[in-house]
Amino acid sequence: AMMRVVAAKSGRVELMIYGQGKPASDLNWPCPVHWLGVVRDDRVLALAYSAADLMVVPSRQDNLPNTAIEPQACGTPVVAFDIGGLPDIVAHRETGWLAKAFDTEDLAAGMLWVLGDRNRWHELSQAARARAVERFSPQVVAGQYAQIYERVIRQAKDK
């Protein structure tokens, strides 16, 4: 997918990878790669997300990955495979792109679509931020937990 994107964008692409250190052997990426390693500081992570034009989550299986929620909270559109919990996070063509599962051509198409128009990117960015706040902010999630606990308590009293 990265080879397709780099070829289409004429070398104006850089890749930022976090979560692991640079491997001992060179992987021959088709563009400059910035290895951030494991990021434990939330401010550094937010800066990395905010510095990126998009976040790619090429998971082959995932439940509800923070790596798709967090960049949206920073206004960064997400491109991911349409698997697991990712459709609950990414709204196709609204906050990013959901590629057909394991289809790297579609993943590349999504990256190019997000990067292809600055006005569209801006709309995706705003929608991603709004969706993250609306669905995943601490206040919203805490309220959902409170509702569950209240329902369980009511059901226990009714027995």
Side-chain angles (χ1 to χ4, degrees):
M2 283 305 299
M3 287 187 206
R4 290 179 189 280
V5 171
V6 169
K9 297 299 279 179
S10 304
R12 299 179 311 186
V13 176
E14 293 187 34
L15 182 61
M16 183 172 34
I17 298 176
Y18 72 94
Q20 68 181 45
K22 185 176 181 179
S25 61
D26 187 9
L27 298 177
N28 295 324
W29 288 98
C31 61
V33 178
H34 306 279
W35 295 90
L36 298 183
V38 175
V39 180
R40 291 182 179 20
D41 185 316
D42 289 342
R43 290 175 297 175
V44 171
L45 191 56
L47 285 171
Y49 287 137
S50 298
D53 291 321
L54 66 96
M55 173 71 173
V56 180
V57 182
S59 298
R60 296 185 58 77
Q61 54 179 280
D62 229 324
N63 186 14
L64 195 69
N66 284 340
T67 54
I69 296 170
E70 293 166 347
Q72 287 192 19
C74 295
T76 302
V78 173
V79 175
F81 288 130
D82 188 2
I83 57 102
L86 285 159
D88 294 326
I89 300 169
V90 180
H92 185 60
R93 292 185 176 226
E94 292 176 29
T95 65
W97 182 278
L98 288 171
K100 290 180 220 97
F102 322 127
D103 184 337
T104 58
E105 287 183 28
D106 197 25
L107 192 70
M111 289 188 271
L112 291 169
W113 182 79
V114 169
L115 298 171
D117 180 284
R118 200 67 191 157
N119 290 330
R120 176 173 52 230
W121 181 91
H122 186 68
E123 290 172 10
L124 291 167
S125 172
Q126 289 181 325
R129 169 75 180 149
R131 184 175 173 96
V133 169
E134 173 187 303
R135 299 186 84 192
F136 301 108
S137 68
Q139 297 82 359
V140 170
V141 173
Q144 291 170 339
Y145 273 112
Q147 289 174 358
I148 291 169
Y149 293 141
E150 289 168 5
R151 187 171 59 235
V152 168
I153 291 168
R154 273 195 314 274
Q155 289 173 349
K157 285 181 180 179
D158 291 343
K159 288 185 177 182

